[in-house]
């Protein structure tokens, strides 16, 4: 299934609102994740948020290294929360990840 132009515009708008100062290389990857078939059925702002957290967790934190060291997903996510929020703050995100926030 192809991504519609309306969906692309909605994702672009949500990205601009959520991450006004994110680097292009990062927004390009986040845009692709938000348009992935797993997130495509969600409203654009929610898909962009989930894609952003996934991208930052894997590309800008020690999450994968913690998993490799034997930490379970929940523990690894706890330990990288501040790293994720630091990246989001640097990008002047309009939302930060909360410690008790449920994820899909």
């Amino acid at each position: 299934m192809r991504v519609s132009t309306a969906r692309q515009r909605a994702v672009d708008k949500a990205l601009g609102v959520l991450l006004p100062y994110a680097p292009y290389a990062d927004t390009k990857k986040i845009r692709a994740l938000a348009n992935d078939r797993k997130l495509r059925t969600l409203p654009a702002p929610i898909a962009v948020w989930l894609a952003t957290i996934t991208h930052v967790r894997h590309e800008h934190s020690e999450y994968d290294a913690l998993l490799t060291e034997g930490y379970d997903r929940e523990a690894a996510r706890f330990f990288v929360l501040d790293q994720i929020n630091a990246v989001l703050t640097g990008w002047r995100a309009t939302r930060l990840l909360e410690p008790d926030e449920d994820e899909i």
Side-chain angles (χ1 to χ4, degrees):
M1 176 195 270
R2 291 186 57 142
V3 179
S4 72
T5 302
R7 173 66 178 192
Q8 290 174 5
R9 281 194 302 265
V11 166
D12 287 344
K13 181 178 178 182
L15 264 170
V17 169
L18 178 64
L19 305 170
Y21 288 93
Y24 176 76
D26 290 295
T27 59
K28 183 176 178 183
K29 292 177 183 177
I30 293 167
R31 184 177 294 108
L33 286 171
N35 284 320
D36 184 73
R37 65 180 173 79
K38 296 176 187 175
L39 298 180
R40 195 178 305 147
T41 59
L42 297 173
I46 294 171
V48 166
W49 172 248
L50 294 174
T52 297
I53 296 307
T54 299
H55 172 73
V56 173
R57 180 182 295 128
H58 289 283
E59 299 292 326
H60 297 281
S61 78
E62 297 175 355
Y63 179 74
D64 293 323
L66 291 171
L67 292 178
T68 301
E69 290 176 18
Y71 287 87
D72 64 37
R73 286 177 40 184
E74 203 169 312
R77 288 178 178 191
F78 172 79
F79 287 118
V80 299
L81 178 73
D82 290 337
Q83 292 174 6
I84 291 170
N85 282 335
V87 171
L88 294 174
T89 299
W91 293 348
R92 297 200 182 147
T94 55
R95 177 179 177 186
L96 296 178
L97 184 61
E98 299 293 328
D100 57 350
E101 191 168 350
D102 289 334
E103 296 181 49
I104 295 175

